[in-house]
Amino acid sequence: MTDDEFTTEIYYESDADQSQLDDVTVAVRGQGSRGHAHALTPHDRGADGVAGPREDPPPRSAAEADGLEVTTPVEAAAQADIVSMLVPDTVQPHVYEQIEDELEAGDTLQFAHGFNIHYNQIQPAEDVDVTMIAPKTPGHLLRRNYENGEGTPGLLAVYQDATGDAKAEALAYAQAIGCTRAGVVETTFREETETDLFGEQAVLCGGIAELIKVGYETLVDAGYSPEMAYFECLNEMKLIVDLMYEDGLGAMWDSVSDTAEYGGLTRGERVIDDQARQNMEEVLEEVQNGEFATEWVAENQANRPVYTQLNQAEKDHEIEEVGERLRALFAWQEEQESETEDEREKVQAD
């Protein structure tokens, strides 16, 4: 399939007009990894950047050290032509209440995820543009790729075009943070939100984590050592995913042994069977009809009782203890921990 055969538009450097950001002030709400990258990179490309972090000293000091003008969230919104909402989904409605009156006609309210717009947790005035630029990578990698002259694929969506220039401005913003170097896929707030939530729940986070744990438990319950179960069901997962990521499923099948390929092709559908498919369809339906969003909003309003219990149970699973012991024995562990700590220092919490 060529670019011409894709069902959605994909934009590159030549499609963006950087002059759309001339004399534009961008206010970034959120100074975590995403906010850090979104604030610095447009600033490097000539746009005026204003950071409106919370009052805690670390975020404010970091933003000042990066050469950004630092002010309160409300003052930042008042100065800005584009307000980029990069705080967590659960915090965004409260932040929007703080800055809503500061948004003027023709301003842009920009998101990196469509949850609060799609599920009506935030309802912007009709005279502002509402757009989304969603780089498909963690914030610190977005910034690193940009500094290395590389690009990061991203998504673009326009929910509300009050000015008639919302898409052009969003494309210029995508170019400013390096996304058009790799390619920007046009989507909608609905499509981005629903596919993102489904992917996280059914495959990327929920599905894979549960598959790993059940595989581990099946082997241990059958009498095999926890260490072997860990290696076979969790440690080798990265090797397989890397192959898929680099060149697709075909590259993975070509790289594993014939025995592994035959076993996977003949047994995989017995594990992920019609019942699993039906369960996935039910998960998708709950995303589409808003049932999950309503549940998650209520969970946060109740101070996260279910989330806290499930989160702790996940941390207490035997595979975590076994993995911690084994990883401590790996020759590369000390170096890896050092690199991870370096990354954590760069990624401040929102």
Side-chain angles (χ1 to χ4, degrees):
M1 178 178 288
T2 66
D3 283 0
D4 294 337
E5 295 173 311
F6 284 119
T7 58
T8 57
E9 291 287 337
I10 301 178
Y11 301 100
Y12 300 97
E13 290 280 84
S14 61
D15 298 308
D17 178 7
Q18 199 63 42
S19 69
Q20 288 286 333
L21 296 184
D22 289 349
D23 302 318
V24 167
T25 299
V26 179
V28 174
R29 186 62 181 93
Q31 278 296 299
S33 63
R34 287 186 302 172
H36 179 260
H38 280 249
L40 281 183
T41 311
H43 181 67
D44 292 346
R45 299 291 287 264
D48 292 330
V50 180
R54 60 181 189 269
E55 297 301 319
D56 303 31
R60 298 183 67 84
S61 299
E64 289 171 345
D66 288 328
L68 298 172
E69 179 183 349
V70 179
T71 183
T72 68
V74 173
E75 291 171 343
Q79 295 180 39
D81 304 293
I82 301 174
V83 177
S84 194
M85 297 280 279
L86 299 173
V87 293
D89 291 336
T90 52
V91 180
Q92 284 183 13
H94 173 67
V95 170
Y96 180 71
E97 289 177 2
Q98 293 178 320
I99 68 171
E100 181 177 9
D101 293 341
E102 307 304 325
L103 294 173
E104 299 177 352
D107 283 350
T108 297
L109 188 63
Q110 182 174 268
F111 296 84
H113 180 40
F115 185 97
N116 283 297
I117 291 294
H118 180 54
Y119 293 118
N120 298 312
Q121 299 302 301
I122 293 176
Q123 299 183 43
E126 295 181 356
D127 59 0
V128 301
D129 290 344
V130 182
T131 62
M132 180 199 309
I133 293 296
K136 302 307 288 181
T137 186
H140 65 286
L141 293 181
L142 172 67
R143 180 65 180 169
R144 181 191 298 172
N145 288 345
Y146 175 82
E147 292 179 322
N148 290 340
E150 301 170 355
T152 298
L155 304 178
L156 176 152
V158 175
Y159 177 79
Q160 194 164 277
D161 186 5
T163 65
D165 294 322
K167 183 175 177 179
E169 183 186 74
L171 263 176
Y173 188 97
Q175 185 182 54
I177 61 175
C179 288
T180 52
R181 293 173 179 175
V184 176
V185 179
E186 187 168 15
T187 183
T188 65
F189 272 67
R190 172 182 175 272
E191 183 176 55
E192 185 277 335
T193 302
E194 294 180 358
T195 56
D196 185 75
L197 292 175
F198 172 79
E200 291 168 349
Q201 295 170 20
V203 182
L204 303 177
C205 301
I208 287 179
E210 202 61 27
L211 187 65
I212 288 172
K213 288 187 297 181
V214 171
Y216 173 89
E217 292 165 2
T218 300
L219 287 176
V220 172
D221 290 347
Y224 298 99
S225 72
E227 292 78 12
M228 285 301 299
Y230 175 87
F231 274 116
E232 295 301 330
C233 296
L234 192 153
N235 186 70
E236 292 195 26
M237 178 65 71
K238 182 183 186 307
L239 306 176
I240 298 300
V241 171
D242 282 349
L243 292 170
M244 295 177 181
Y245 176 81
E246 289 166 7
D247 281 306
L249 293 174
M252 183 273 290
W253 291 125
D254 288 342
S255 297
V256 300
S257 70
D258 291 347
T259 305
E261 182 176 9
Y262 179 77
L265 291 172
T266 57
R267 267 62 176 178
E269 290 185 354
R270 288 170 55 182
V271 176
I272 309 300
D273 59 6
D274 288 341
Q275 183 60 54
R277 186 183 298 273
Q278 181 179 331
N279 292 339
M280 282 193 176
E281 291 171 354
E282 290 174 359
V283 168
L284 177 58
E285 184 177 356
E286 291 172 2
V287 167
Q288 292 172 325
N289 64 22
E291 183 177 339
F292 170 77
T294 300
E295 177 185 324
W296 179 227
V297 170
E299 175 72 9
N300 281 278
Q301 291 172 343
N303 202 28
R304 301 188 173 189
V306 175
Y307 171 91
T308 301
Q309 179 182 1
L310 294 175
N311 181 267
Q312 189 60 51
E314 194 79 351
K315 292 177 180 177
D316 293 340
H317 193 283
E318 181 185 284
I319 198 172
E320 292 289 82
E321 185 272 329
V322 172
E324 184 176 0
R325 285 194 291 105
L326 284 175
R327 290 190 299 270
L329 300 176
F330 295 164
W332 43 262
Q333 177 64 11
E334 183 175 342
E335 178 182 349
Q336 184 188 61
E337 285 183 347
S338 176
E339 293 176 353
T340 301
E341 188 60 34
D342 288 344
E343 294 294 352
R344 285 174 180 164
E345 289 177 0
K346 297 176 186 176
V347 182
Q348 303 162 4
D350 282 307

